[in-house]
């Protein structure tokens, strides 16, 4: 049986806490850092100069030499991306950065519905007749390509050079590219294995700039300011939910600094305004929940090219127009998602407690939104979930998108399914926490059985007795704007979770908003504070232990704080 999460106090290394405090880190932030594995002030703060140098990234030097030769020969370069936010930002970074270096360059992104994922032979054929660039000489993949054996072969057979930049886990055979850059490829000693696709592209540009410097390309003029691209790198990194190790946090922090200073791309600033976010106060969570979905909406419902154009656009008026269209698309996406989510929840009902997985499918579901449905089901029921929709362009074929839980590596699960039930999957790929697949509709029952068996074989049993780690209580006077500002200054996300506190509150009042969300008035000591629990409709008892996050509350011009309640426990938990 899948148990509801229980609250537990995050372990804090006392030596790390003492070291951080002695270095001048505030007691609260020292506690938060120490609870996330940071053992000294040297791992706090920093800037782009502290990034891991590109020399350790296998293939980056090869790619730099190839691209430097191509730029010198005025060859035509084509960046081929993916149809999600990581892919869109990676394409924009590639195009903008290569133009800074003097390249003749354009881009191409597959349509989710027409071309599928990656550098397929079909997308190579499209590239060979590019409407703006003409026939390219060099293809550069971003956020894809590591599994594109046939596509790379097709491109090289057509006389093109191919540079693959990717971050996905490789299969047993690597593509025969002219240069291959991926921190997860065999033999790569790059310390951070968690670069997003946009991060890999950024590193290739840094290596290219160094190669051109060695060739004296910048004699008498300033080098291209690649730091201007870090707002895009930050967005793609957070939106792709890669682990925020120190190197990724440095990338994101540098991008947030540009956003807060109002020096970001016009399209990003326009999207922030539409989302009701103030650029001066933007944080890493805003990248994931305000900007990322608006870029992704184009790829989910239509063509991610609109998102790429918004990121590339320098004219503020035109960027605002594109941002408005993306915002409208995102509203449509939310409506579709809500309907599909409600249908999926109704179909699943109360799952069999003995089952470890969920597989959801309806013939009429929108292929571009199934990943979001899988995410909602996973969050509700705490088990690895696949949502599927028909591929209307290939009768009898299903497209699936999966989301997993800690302790269950989804791509490894699908690999085991493929070995134990050969022929069920046509193709698959992804990460530990998210993956995609293509399969025949008549194999759905067999797949569901194999998926359940594979999860049972590979999963850590503790994954199904989830623990919700908290950072413990706050003093009443710490429920303040100052605390929010201190927390928001840091980068939080996958692998470096945002602070989650736990306290016993007196519930003074409660009511429903729009029949979907519980609005609360709470008291902690002498301090009263408002709170909201999204998606909860059941009332809470008079006294409750709540796990919550702090947020700035500017309603009607106020400058205070409110709480976002993530978990209720009225029985047990840490005492003050």
């Amino acid at each position: 049986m899948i148990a509801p999460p229980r609250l537990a106090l995050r372990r804090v290394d006392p030596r790390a806490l003492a070291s951080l405090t002695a270095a001048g880190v505030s007691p609260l932030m020292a506690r938060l850092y120490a609870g996330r594995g940071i053992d000294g002030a040297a791992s706090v703060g920093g800037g782009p100069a502290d990034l891991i140098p590109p020399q350790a990234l296998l293939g980056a030097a090869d790619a730099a030499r190839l691209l430097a030769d191509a730029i010198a020969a005025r060859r035509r370069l084509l960046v081929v991306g993916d149809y999600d936010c990581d892919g869109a930002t990676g394409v924009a970074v590639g195009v903008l950065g290569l133009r800074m270096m003097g390249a003749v360059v354009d881009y191409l992104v597959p349509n989710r519905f027409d071309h599928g994922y990656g550098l397929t032979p079909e997308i190579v054929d499209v590239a060979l007749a590019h409407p703006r660039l003409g026939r390219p000489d060099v293809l550069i993949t971003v956020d894809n390509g590591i599994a594109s054996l046939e596509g790379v072969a097709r491109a090289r057979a057509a006389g093109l050079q191919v540079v693959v930049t990717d971050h996905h886990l490789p299969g047993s055979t690597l593509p025969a590219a002219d240069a291959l850059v991926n921190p997860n490829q065999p033999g790569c000693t790059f310390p951070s294995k968690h670069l997003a696709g946009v991060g890999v592209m950024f590193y290739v540009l840094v290596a290219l700039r160094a190669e051109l410097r060695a060739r004296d390309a910048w004699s008498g003029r300033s080098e291209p300011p690649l730091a201007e691209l870090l707002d895009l790198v930050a967005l793609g990194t957070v939106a792709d939910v890669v682990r925020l190790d120190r190197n990724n946090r440095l990338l994101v922090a540098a991008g947030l600094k540009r956003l807060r200073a109002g020096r970001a791309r016009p399209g990003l600033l326009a999207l922030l305004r539409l989302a009701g976010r103030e650029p001066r106060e933007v944080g890493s969570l805003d990248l994931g929940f305000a900007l990322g979905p608006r870029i992704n909406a184009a790829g989910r419902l239509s063509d991610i090219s609109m998102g790429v154009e918004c990121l590339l656009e320098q004219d503020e008026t035109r960027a605002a127009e594109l941002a408005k269209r993306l915002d409208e698309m995102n509203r449509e996406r939310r409506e579709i998602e809500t309907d599909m989510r409600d249908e999926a929840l109704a179909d699943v009902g109360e799952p069999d407690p003995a089952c470890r997985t969920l597989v959801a499918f309806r013939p009429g579901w929108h292929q571009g939104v199934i990943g979001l449905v899988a995410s909602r089901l996973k969050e509700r029921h705490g088990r690895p979930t696949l949502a599927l929709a028909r591929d209307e362009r290939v009768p009898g074929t299903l497209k699936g998108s999966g989301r997993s839980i800690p302790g269950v590596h989804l791509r490894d699960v699908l690999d085991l399914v493929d070995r134990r039930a050969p022929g069920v999957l046509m193709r698959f790929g992804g990460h530990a926490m998210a993956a995609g697949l293509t399969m025949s509709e008549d194999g759905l029952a067999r797949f569901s059985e194999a998926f359940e068996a594979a999860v049972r074989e590979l999963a850590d049993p503790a994954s199904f007795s989830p623990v919700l780690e908290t950072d413990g209580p706050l003093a009443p006077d710490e429920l303040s704007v100052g605390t929010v500002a201190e927390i928001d200054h840091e980068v939080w996300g996958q692998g470096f979770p945002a602070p989650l506190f736990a306290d016993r509150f007196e519930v003074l009042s409660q009511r429903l908003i729009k029949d979907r969300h519980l609005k609360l008035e709470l008291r902690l000591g002498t301090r009263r504070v408002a709170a909201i629990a999204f998606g909860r409709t059941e009332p809470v008892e008079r006294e409750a232990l709540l796990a919550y996050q702090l947020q700035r509350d500017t309603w009607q011009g106020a400058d205070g704080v409110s709480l976002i309640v993530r978990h209720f426990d009225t029985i047990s938990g840490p005492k003050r």
Side-chain angles (χ1 to χ4, degrees):
M1 182 175 180
I2 310 297
R6 61 180 178 83
L7 295 184
L9 189 63
R10 192 182 300 277
R11 182 184 176 277
V12 173
D13 184 334
R15 291 174 297 180
L17 182 64
S19 173
L20 288 160
T21 304
V25 179
S26 74
L28 173 61
M29 293 305 297
R31 178 174 123 208
L32 297 178
Y33 286 138
R36 287 155 180 78
I38 290 181
D39 57 7
S43 298
V44 176
D50 300 298
L51 288 167
I52 300 168
Q55 288 82 356
L57 187 58
L58 182 64
D62 295 334
R65 286 189 291 269
L66 186 155
L67 293 173
D69 290 343
I71 291 170
R74 302 299 291 167
R75 297 191 188 111
R76 287 172 288 193
L77 313 181
L78 186 66
V79 179
V80 182
D82 186 19
Y83 40 67
D84 66 0
C85 188
D86 185 19
T89 53
V91 165
V93 164
V95 169
L96 292 168
L98 288 166
R99 285 177 181 168
M100 289 179 184
M101 312 282 185
V104 178
V105 60
D106 212 312
Y107 75 91
L108 174 66
V109 283
N111 183 291
R112 179 192 298 267
F113 311 103
D114 293 336
H115 307 118
Y117 169 77
L119 187 70
T120 61
E122 293 77 14
I123 204 68
V124 171
D125 292 341
V126 175
L128 291 171
H130 195 275
R132 296 183 300 270
L133 186 69
R135 181 185 174 90
D137 301 299
V138 182
L139 293 185
I140 307 160
T141 73
V142 179
D143 193 31
N144 75 93
I146 194 67
S148 301
L149 277 63
E150 295 178 358
V152 170
R154 173 75 66 89
R156 297 193 68 194
L160 278 60
Q161 291 181 297
V162 181
V163 176
V164 168
T165 78
D166 201 352
H167 69 126
H168 294 94
L169 297 174
S172 56
T173 304
L174 298 178
D178 295 275
L180 175 58
V181 189
N182 184 331
N184 292 300
Q185 68 176 303
C188 185
T189 60
F190 192 75
S192 171
K193 300 299 182 183
H194 305 290
L195 284 174
V198 66
V200 177
M201 185 71 248
F202 181 76
Y203 261 86
V204 168
L205 293 174
V206 173
L208 173 58
R209 184 175 62 180
E211 175 66 22
L212 291 172
R213 182 190 306 128
R215 299 184 184 195
D216 203 26
W218 314 123
S219 179
R221 57 196 178 101
S222 58
E223 294 188 356
L226 294 180
E228 292 182 0
L229 306 175
L230 285 169
D231 53 345
L232 298 173
V233 177
L235 171 56
T237 298
V238 173
D240 211 47
V241 202
V242 293
R243 177 175 288 275
L244 292 183
D245 58 16
R246 172 165 167 74
N247 203 65
N248 277 338
R249 294 202 310 279
L250 288 171
L251 289 170
V252 174
L256 286 172
K257 185 176 180 180
R258 293 192 64 82
L259 277 161
R260 290 167 180 159
R263 293 186 288 118
R265 302 293 302 174
L268 292 188
L269 295 175
L271 286 169
L272 280 174
R273 287 192 293 270
L274 287 167
R277 302 301 203 274
E278 170 57 53
R280 290 174 299 177
E281 298 172 357
V282 68
S284 53
L285 297 181
D286 295 311
L287 300 181
F289 293 103
L291 296 183
R294 286 169 168 80
I295 298 294
N296 273 327
R300 293 190 184 282
L301 301 188
S302 178
D303 190 323
I304 196 68
S305 295
M306 186 185 300
V308 176
E309 288 297 316
C310 183
L311 299 177
L312 291 174
E313 184 57 59
Q314 187 60 40
D315 180 78
E316 292 185 6
T317 301
R318 175 62 178 158
E321 293 172 356
L322 290 167
K324 185 173 184 296
R325 291 167 64 186
L326 289 172
D327 186 64
E328 292 168 350
M329 211 173 268
N330 190 52
R331 293 175 189 274
E332 180 184 356
R333 185 272 306 169
R334 283 203 299 257
E335 292 175 0
I336 294 171
E337 180 195 346
T338 297
D339 291 342
M340 288 174 55
R341 180 200 62 205
D342 291 346
E343 291 171 351
L345 290 171
D347 289 349
V348 168
E350 286 302 320
D352 183 348
C355 290
R356 291 287 183 259
T357 62
L358 291 175
V359 177
F361 164 66
R362 276 203 184 191
W365 279 353
H366 194 294
Q367 182 184 323
V369 186
I370 50 176
L372 300 175
V373 171
S375 181
R376 300 299 180 264
L377 287 174
K378 182 266 296 186
E379 291 168 1
R380 175 68 65 91
H381 295 293
R383 51 192 102 187
T385 301
L386 263 293
L388 302 107
R390 279 181 175 153
D391 184 346
E392 299 298 340
R393 290 163 178 77
V394 185
T397 300
L398 300 179
K399 293 284 189 179
S401 187
R403 299 293 184 269
S404 195
I405 60 176
V408 182
H409 194 298
L410 193 53
R411 188 192 177 280
D412 287 354
V413 166
L414 294 180
D415 184 64
L416 183 58
V417 169
D418 192 46
R419 286 185 278 118
R420 295 286 169 80
V424 166
L425 297 177
M426 297 176 181
R427 64 181 65 91
F428 66 92
H431 304 286
M433 303 300 287
L437 60 85
T438 303
M439 62 177 294
S440 62
E441 187 170 343
D442 60 13
L444 181 56
R446 188 176 173 216
F447 167 78
S448 298
E449 294 176 2
F451 183 48
E452 174 75 17
V455 167
R456 286 183 174 277
E457 182 170 341
L458 295 180
D460 179 352
S463 300
F464 302 99
S465 299
V467 173
L468 188 61
E469 288 190 313
T470 81
D471 295 289
L474 289 175
D477 61 0
E478 288 181 308
L479 299 177
S480 68
V481 172
T483 301
V484 174
E486 194 172 19
I487 289 171
D488 285 352
H489 186 72
E490 184 52 84
V491 173
W492 313 99
Q494 179 69 23
F496 199 75
L500 182 71
F501 303 105
D503 275 297
R504 292 181 179 275
F505 289 88
E506 181 184 357
V507 179
L508 302 177
S509 67
Q510 53 188 307
R511 60 187 175 88
L512 286 180
I513 298 177
K514 298 181 180 179
D515 295 325
R516 299 184 73 112
H517 314 298
L518 188 62
K519 181 76 171 177
L520 302 161
E521 187 74 22
L522 306 172
R523 181 157 54 204
L524 181 68
T526 60
R527 183 69 186 271
R528 295 169 69 108
V529 63
I532 189 165
F534 292 108
R536 181 182 174 105
T537 57
E538 305 88 351
V540 63
E541 294 182 16
R542 181 73 177 177
E543 183 178 332
L545 173 68
L546 308 180
Y548 63 93
Q549 292 173 310
L550 287 176
Q551 67 173 355
R552 187 182 294 269
D553 189 350
T554 57
W555 175 248
Q556 293 183 334
D559 191 15
V561 298
S562 61
L563 314 184
I564 301 175
V565 180
R566 301 299 188 191
H567 181 79
F568 291 83
D569 188 343
T570 59
I571 300 173
S572 62
K575 295 184 181 296
R576 294 191 62 81

